[in-house]
Each structure stands twice: as structure tokens, then as C-alpha cells.
Amino acid sequence: MPSPIADPDLYEILDDRFRTGRCANGDMRLERLHDDCRWAEGPLYLPAWRQLVWSDIPNDRMLRWDEHTGTVGLFRSPAGHPNGNTLDRQGRLITCEQGGRRVSRTEPDGTVTALATHYGNKRLNSPNDAVVRSDGSVWFSDPDFGITSDYEGRRAESEIGACNVYRADPLTGEVRLVADGFGGPNGLVFSPDERQLYVSDTRAGHIRVFEVRENGTLSDGKVFTEVAADRERARFDNIRFDDQGRLWAAAMEDGVHCYAPDGDLIGRIRVPEPVSNIAFGGPRNNRLFITASTSLYSLVMSVTGLPR
């Protein structure tokens, strides 16, 4: 059963836009839905099944929470030390496998297909997060988090020698470098019109935004926002948009951040564990799911996520 955590100071309002945008008008407590992970990431809500799947990276498994019954079960194990999950345009599960050093797709019959394993003739580092554009292309970040030790993958030397963002072509499967110069690229998300790509860099402490050109390449990019001097505990992980153009970011020890379209930090949600990932879901897409250290939390909000 969900374990309620009463917190009268759940929301921190830093700018009046957080208040007028009704960002703090939802639940006044977090629900802990599960607490038996080693390091939880990659929450993804599946509307057709009213379920959420997520990754438990060190335990090399994916778990599944059922919205109707509140029960949690095993989705897949071993799972390639999975991290980020998303859906393609056909509703198939796309998973970034840190241990498998690949991006995979789960087919309707349950078989798993490798979508991206190499850049050129060199193995990827450890894919972290992925998004699918309307043309079917799969864009993913590839830091070295899964090869630095055996905790979240398999220790190995980087064959590429850098941490980049790539695009996998939906027809040819070609993996193309689209952005480089990162310390540790992590979460990524397209703007609602797909004209921009936002990428968080955990090690650099900022979120960059790139213009997406007609041919599928990116501009050089610029910093959208960075960790403020008084937010030294914050580290950016994955990011998600709501339907009003606000960007929400998993900020590790500093909870969940909310940024206005101009990049200003306007508020945050306090969470009792370091926040790794977030995802909007539920029947109305207004339930925020939060993976934080060992736990999965949720919060029904007055904010609605970007339409699925």
C-alpha cells in the first residue's frame, strides 16, 4: 500500500509564477509506492495498461507498478542494467541499457531488438536516456556512468573517448553524432514543437538547449539554465515539460526543480531522497512519478504534463 509522507513544506515557492501557475495546488503529500530498489531510475507510464515501469539499475531489473491494485511486480530481469525508458510511435518500449551498452526495443511479442550498439565501429559507452521524435528517430545520451564501475553496469574503457548525444535513424539504423562537448549528458527532451532539444549535463551542472535543423542536425547550443550558487546540492538528471512550457528537472539532493520558459528557477518539490528521474502519467497526465534513490514516489498535481 502507498505510504503517505506528510510534509507541510512540500513545495518551495521561489517566484510568484510558481504560485500563479498553480504549480503548488495539488497533493500536499508524497505517496511512496515502493521502497525496495538499490537505485531507481527511468519511470515510464503506460496509459493502455494503467501501469508504470521503471529501472532498478544495480539490481539489473525492471519493475512494474499497477495503478488499479497498487501492486509491484517484476517486469524483466536480467535487463542489461537498464536506465531511461520511453515509447516509440508504435507504443513499443525503448530502453537504454547501461550494462548492455545499447539502446533496445521491446517488440509486441516480448522479444528484445538492439537499435543502437555502436557509433562507427566503436561501442557506445552506456546509453542513459532516450526520446523519440515524430519522424521515428531515437535520440539518446551516452555518458560513461555505466562503465566507470561494476555497480551500474560493467567496468570498461570508453572506446569513443567522449560522452555525446546521438540520433538513430528509424529506417537505416545509422547512429549519428548530433551533439558533443558534455561532461556527462543525461536527460533529454524535445520542446513541444520539436524545434529544440534540451539536454541536461550532470557533471557540468547545467541544461543546454539546441535548435533542431530541418535535416535533423543540431545547432551548437547554449545554456538554458545552470545550478545556482545557493543550490550546491543540486545535480541535474532527467527533464520533462508540462503543457504550459515549464521545464521540470530531477535535481538529485535538491528535489524536483521547476523552470519557467525563460530559464528562471521558480519553485521546487522537496523529496526525502535524492531524485534521479521524473515522469508525468496517470489517466489525465497530471500525476508526477518520482524515482528517488531506493523508492518510487508519486504526487497528483494541478499541473499537467506535455500531451502524450
Side-chain angles (χ1 to χ4, degrees):
M1 295 293 292
S3 174
I5 300 174
D7 186 355
D9 300 315
L10 178 63
Y11 302 98
E12 181 181 7
I13 299 173
L14 302 170
D15 185 297
D16 199 51
R17 286 173 288 179
F18 195 73
R19 188 192 313 277
T20 59
R22 301 179 61 84
C23 298
N25 286 23
D27 283 353
M28 298 308 296
R29 61 180 177 86
L30 289 171
E31 290 180 281
R32 182 185 280 123
L33 305 176
H34 188 69
D35 63 353
D36 187 33
C37 298
R38 274 200 161 85
W39 183 253
E41 295 222 28
L44 173 67
Y45 184 77
L46 307 174
W49 302 102
R50 298 285 296 272
Q51 293 182 345
L52 182 102
V53 296
W54 79 98
S55 303
D56 183 3
I57 305 175
N59 283 327
D60 192 16
R61 63 180 180 172
M62 294 177 67
L63 299 171
R64 168 172 46 197
W65 170 80
D66 185 271
E67 191 169 28
H68 290 292
T69 65
T71 57
V72 171
L74 182 67
F75 178 77
R76 182 160 64 217
S77 181
H81 293 91
N83 195 324
N85 298 287
T86 191
L87 293 176
D88 70 6
R89 296 291 163 165
Q90 287 73 50
R92 296 170 296 189
L93 177 66
I94 306 295
T95 299
C96 292
E97 299 181 16
Q98 292 191 168
R101 299 176 69 171
R102 67 178 188 172
V103 180
S104 66
R105 181 179 68 212
T106 302
E107 308 295 351
D109 64 0
T111 59
V112 179
T113 301
L115 296 182
T117 59
H118 290 71
Y119 170 54
N121 61 354
K122 297 179 179 179
R123 291 189 71 185
L124 299 172
N125 294 326
S126 56
N128 185 283
D129 196 17
V131 288
V132 179
R133 205 163 180 240
S134 58
D135 63 1
S137 57
V138 179
W139 302 58
F140 62 94
S141 58
D142 186 42
D144 59 4
F145 304 154
I147 60 174
T148 56
S149 74
D150 291 318
Y151 187 69
E152 291 191 356
R154 295 181 178 86
R155 185 177 180 179
E157 294 294 325
S158 171
E159 296 183 16
I160 296 172
C163 300
N164 303 317
V165 173
Y166 300 96
R167 174 189 184 273
D169 188 271
L171 299 177
T172 67
E174 176 192 10
V175 175
R176 185 172 69 194
L177 172 69
V178 292
D180 56 14
F182 297 95
N186 201 320
L188 66 170
V189 67
F190 283 108
S191 61
D193 60 9
E194 295 190 334
R195 294 179 180 177
Q196 296 175 313
L197 179 71
Y198 291 73
V199 183
S200 68
D201 190 330
T202 302
R203 291 184 176 130
H206 60 224
I207 298 172
R208 291 165 65 186
V209 56
F210 302 83
E211 300 296 325
V212 182
R213 303 188 182 104
E214 291 294 328
N215 62 0
T217 62
L218 299 179
S219 67
D220 291 336
K222 62 181 181 180
V223 173
F224 168 73
T225 194
E226 57 189 344
V227 173
D230 61 346
R231 295 284 171 184
E232 58 187 26
R233 298 172 65 229
R235 289 179 295 149
F236 292 129
D237 205 297
N238 90 319
I239 47 181
R240 292 288 182 264
F241 273 108
D242 67 24
D243 66 356
Q244 299 301 307
R246 293 174 293 244
L247 186 69
W248 297 76
M252 296 296 219
E253 288 85 353
D254 208 41
V256 178
H257 285 190
C258 178
Y259 292 90
D262 62 3
D264 288 344
L265 176 62
I266 61 173
R268 75 179 182 106
I269 300 170
R270 296 184 176 96
V271 180
E273 299 179 74
V275 177
S276 58
N277 279 191
I278 56 175
F280 285 101
R284 299 187 179 183
N285 209 29
N286 67 335
R287 188 170 190 170
L288 186 68
F289 293 95
I290 303 169
T291 51
S293 187
T294 63
S295 302
L296 171 69
Y297 297 91
S298 82
L299 181 70
V300 178
M301 305 183 70
S302 55
V303 168
T304 302
L306 193 66
R308 289 185 282 258

